[in-house]
Amino acid sequence: MPEGESGGMNLIRATEAEVLADAPGSRITLLTDTDTLTSNRATFEPGATGAPPHFHTKATEVFFVLSGRLTVLFDDEVVTLGEGDFLTVPPRVPHAFAPAPGSAADVLVTFTPGMDRFDYYRLLDRVNRGEADPREIRESQERYDNHYVDSPVWRV
């Protein structure tokens, strides 16, 4: 049973958390990945690409901006979140995110229920380092409940 599943404490020390680079200028700090909750800290440098348009069929994704500014696609609307802003994206709603132009962003990202996503982030890290084929990301859509979509609004 994963840590925290029995109702016990699930403590992740900052010095012990796994940190990955999923794209240039982007880091993901893995925090917890249980049946009930998956959480990471996403840190973006100015100009980082962020996450392309996608949706999840089972999980709600929650964003809490710790610092900086984050631009988010929510269905057909683009909004900019600032420090302390909180956004919930329900299942099946297309969304994407990146640091706002000229800004960095530090964001707590949480999924509920948990989605066994840490291996997805590790795949992104391997692709970023040239150790895995980018096609593996598309091929993993069902496994990690990360379904990519086109968004003319986000492309603009």
Side-chain angles (χ1 to χ4, degrees):
M1 181 176 291
E3 269 187 63
E5 288 301 289
S6 64
M9 180 170 47
N10 186 4
L11 174 63
I12 309 300
R13 299 275 184 198
T15 56
E16 298 169 359
E18 183 178 357
V19 180
L20 305 170
D22 66 326
S26 175
R27 287 190 325 271
I28 295 179
T29 303
L30 305 182
L31 300 174
T32 191
D33 201 16
T34 68
D35 290 344
T36 57
L37 185 73
T38 297
S39 192
N40 70 77
R41 182 176 182 176
T43 308
F44 303 102
E45 295 175 8
T49 57
H54 64 282
F55 66 90
H56 313 289
T57 62
K58 299 176 184 113
T60 295
E61 188 168 3
V62 178
F63 299 88
F64 179 74
V65 180
L66 301 167
S67 66
R69 294 175 42 235
L70 186 72
T71 299
V72 179
L73 169 72
F74 183 94
D75 202 8
D76 287 328
E77 181 179 359
V78 176
V79 296
T80 299
L81 308 178
E83 183 175 330
D85 288 349
F86 180 89
L87 175 68
T88 301
V89 180
R92 301 200 175 276
V93 174
H95 58 287
F97 52 92
S103 180
D106 189 6
V107 184
L108 179 65
V109 181
T110 301
F111 296 88
T112 185
M115 300 173 62
D116 188 28
R117 289 184 67 79
F118 281 11
D119 284 339
Y120 172 73
Y121 298 129
R122 291 177 184 119
L123 170 60
L124 295 178
D125 181 70
R126 288 192 312 278
V127 168
N128 183 52
R129 289 184 281 128
E131 298 172 3
D133 189 317
R135 287 182 296 199
E136 291 181 54
I137 296 170
R138 284 226 181 257
E139 293 167 0
S140 72
Q141 290 183 96
E142 287 297 324
R143 178 176 178 200
Y144 297 117
D145 191 25
N146 206 62
H147 306 273
Y148 294 98
V149 295
D150 182 43
S151 170
V153 173
W154 186 249
R155 282 191 313 233
V156 173

